[in-house]
């Protein structure tokens, strides 16, 4: 039974604008929490906006013989894909549009982000940026499969790839109780797709900032905003897929979802900023030898529970 | 089939079809490996968009997902193994120009003749509510055995290909008696072993 989507309830244009606004607010929240964790509470909410405004008026640097077309495409694609991934995340109990393959949509946007970040590294025709781009792709090989298994585990329990169906199945019990491994892998992979926190090696100081090293002005604003928006969207998705979304006593549903999203953001930033950067050559083996079997076992446990009618 | 679609969907299919062909042509026109790779990706994404316009959501997003990962990995390997490692020197994707032109034109003629001469079946029943489920049942329902056999065959091919291609075997890693405590790997993998 497909419920009404935001586009059907509000009309297409207001719904799209609403989702973009939600995405930008989530991005600012992520950046503000990050500032609080790194620098303390002073002017945390203002700082990201001030930084953004400064980048907006900053003059753009360029390199010798850049591949300008692909560079611009990459820079614009990062925030666009972050916002597009938000289209299937329930906001106020409804998604912007509802398809029979919401989870695959979300995953496809992450994969496109993968390609876009490589373009950001390729475009400027500079060695550090290119190294960072390749590092990002290599690192992605370690967590792409575990992420897919983690996503599919939530879909398996609900018997549907539609996020609103997954929400409805969690009315009695949050999925995080029966699938903690999938939850942790999903949140960690979200950080990895934003090459953030312990997964920031593609933008590491040892390669002078890597993929982001040649970005300036609007380009840097777009990429940094895209990373923050994607982290916020992933936190909202994690709250919806594993933490019961808008279910909870006393308070109205959307407020519950907001609180859970904020909790995931706070936990993600707080833990992520306290972990050392992982070397990509050391994460690949861990991904394939530890995480893939773990997430497969997790899926097996959930599959047995589904066969026993646990989630029905 | 076309008559069931709304005007917007037909316009979208037409525009995306042209875009897909144009991006496909661009693959063979541009002189940079990165541009060729991403022109090919753009062509695939336009096809995914056509599937989306035809309301085949699952096929559309899976096409976008798989093709993006494929192109990203291709970018790594193709550029890595090229004679100019960064791929920044001008290059071309065209090899054996005459032969490929003849083959391409022949395939085009055969396909177009087939499309216009075959008596395509028409739908008698109403559209299913969930085309994803219908697709899954059509693929897996009565063909499960075939799919399993093909799956195992593909997997065996991947394993055999890797075994043939790998330069360092287990005797290199674990010694002639396969009794080394730790594998002798040039790059440590991250696990304490």
């Amino acid at each position: 039974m497909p419920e009404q989507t935001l586009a059907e309830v509000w009309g297409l244009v207001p719904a799209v604008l609403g989702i973009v606004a939600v995405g930008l607010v989530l991005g600012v929240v992520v950046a503000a929490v990050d500032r609080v964790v790194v620098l303390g509470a002073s002017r945390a909410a203002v700082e990201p906006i001030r930084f953004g405004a400064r980048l907006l008026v900053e003059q753009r640097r360029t390199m010798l013989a850049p591949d300008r077309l692909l560079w611009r495409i990459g820079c614009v694609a990062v925030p666009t894909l972050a916002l597009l991934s938000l289209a299937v995340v329930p906001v106020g109990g409804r998604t912007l549009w509802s398809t029979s393959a919401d989870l695959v949509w979300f995953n496809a946007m992450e994969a496109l982000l993968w390609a876009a970040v490589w373009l950001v590294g390729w475009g400027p025709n500079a060695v550090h940026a290119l190294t960072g781009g390749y590092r990002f792709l290599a690192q992605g090989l370690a967590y792409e499969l575990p992420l897919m298994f983690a996503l599919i585990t939530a879909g398996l329990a609900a018997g549907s790839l539609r996020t609103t169906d997954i929400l409805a199945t969690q009315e009695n019990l949050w999925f995080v109780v029966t699938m903690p491994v999938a939850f942790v892998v999903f949140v960690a992979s979200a950080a990895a797709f934003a090459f953030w926190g312990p997964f920031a090696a593609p933008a590491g100081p040892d390669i002078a900032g890597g993929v982001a090293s040649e970005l300036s002005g609007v380009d840097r604003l777009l990429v940094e905003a895209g990373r923050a928006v994607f982290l916020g969207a992933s936190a909202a998705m994690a709250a919806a897929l594993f933490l019961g979304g808008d279910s909870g006593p006393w308070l109205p549903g959307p407020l519950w979802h907001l609180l859970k999203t904020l909790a995931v953001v706070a936990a993600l930033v707080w833990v992520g900023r306290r972990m050392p950067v992982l070397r990509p050559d050391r994460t690949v083996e861990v991904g394939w030898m530890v995480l893939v079997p773990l997430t497969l076992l997790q899926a097996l446990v959930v599959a047995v529970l589904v066969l026993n009618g646990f989630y029905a | 089939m076309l008559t069931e679609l709304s005007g917007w969907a037909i316009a979208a299919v037409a525009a995306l079809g042209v875009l897909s062909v144009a991006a496909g042509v661009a693959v063979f026109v541009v002189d940079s490996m990165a541009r060729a790779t991403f022109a090919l990706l753009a062509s695939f994404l336009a096809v995914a968009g056509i599937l989306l316009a035809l309301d085949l959501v699952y096929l559309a997003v899976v096409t976008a997902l798989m093709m993006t990962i494929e192109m990203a990995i291709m970018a790594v390997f193709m550029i890595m193994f090229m004679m100019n490692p960064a791929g920044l020197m001008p290059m071309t994707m065209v090899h054996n120009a005459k032969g490929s032109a003849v083959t391409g034109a022949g395939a085009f003629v055969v396909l177009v003749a087939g499309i216009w001469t075959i008596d395509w079946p028409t739908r008698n029943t109403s559209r299913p509510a969930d085309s994803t489920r219908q697709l899954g049942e059509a693929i897996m329902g009565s063909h499960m055995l075939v799919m399993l056999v093909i799956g195992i065959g593909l997997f065996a091919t991947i394993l055999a290909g890797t075994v043939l291609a790998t330069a360092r075997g287990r005797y290199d890693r674990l010694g002639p008696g396969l009794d080394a405590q730790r594998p002798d790997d040039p790059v440590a993998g991250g696990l304490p072993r």
Side-chain angles (χ1 to χ4, degrees), chain B residues 14-88:
Chain B
L16 287 166
V18 171
L19 183 66
S20 156
V21 173
V25 170
V27 173
F28 298 97
V29 175
V30 295
D31 63 351
S32 125
M33 195 49 125
R35 287 196 177 194
T37 304
F38 280 85
L40 192 53
L41 178 59
S43 182
F44 286 139
L45 290 180
V47 173
I50 291 177
L51 292 172
L52 205 60
L54 296 175
D55 212 12
L56 298 166
V57 179
Y58 181 76
L59 278 183
V61 285
V62 157
T63 304
L65 177 66
M66 302 311 289
M67 289 306 146
T68 307
I69 296 177
E70 224 164 77
M71 288 305 122
I73 294 175
M74 196 178 94
V76 176
F77 281 94
M78 289 187 83
I79 295 171
M80 193 162 62
F81 290 135
M82 275 176 74
M83 275 176 276
N84 45 350
L88 288 169

Side-chain angles (χ1 to χ4, degrees), chain A residues 67 69-70 99-101 104-105 107-108 111-112 114-115 118-119 122 125 134 137 141 144 148 281-282 285-286 289-290, chain B residues 32 34-35 38 41 45 57-58 61-62 65 68-69 72-73 75-76 79 86-88 130 132 187-191 193:
Chain A
D67 194 334
L69 175 71
L70 292 186
T99 70
S100 53
V104 193
W105 171 277
N107 202 351
L112 280 166
W114 206 38
W118 185 80
L119 281 184
W122 167 268
N125 188 22
Y134 276 129
L137 283 188
L141 292 176
E144 178 63 44
M148 283 182 175
D281 58 332
R282 304 221 153 188
E285 193 173 85
V286 175
M289 306 284 280
V290 179
Chain B
S32 125
R35 287 196 177 194
F38 280 85
L41 178 59
L45 290 180
V57 179
Y58 181 76
V61 285
V62 157
L65 177 66
T68 307
I69 296 177
I73 294 175
V76 176
I79 295 171
L88 288 169
D130 190 349
T132 308
V187 179
L191 290 178
R193 53 171 197 152

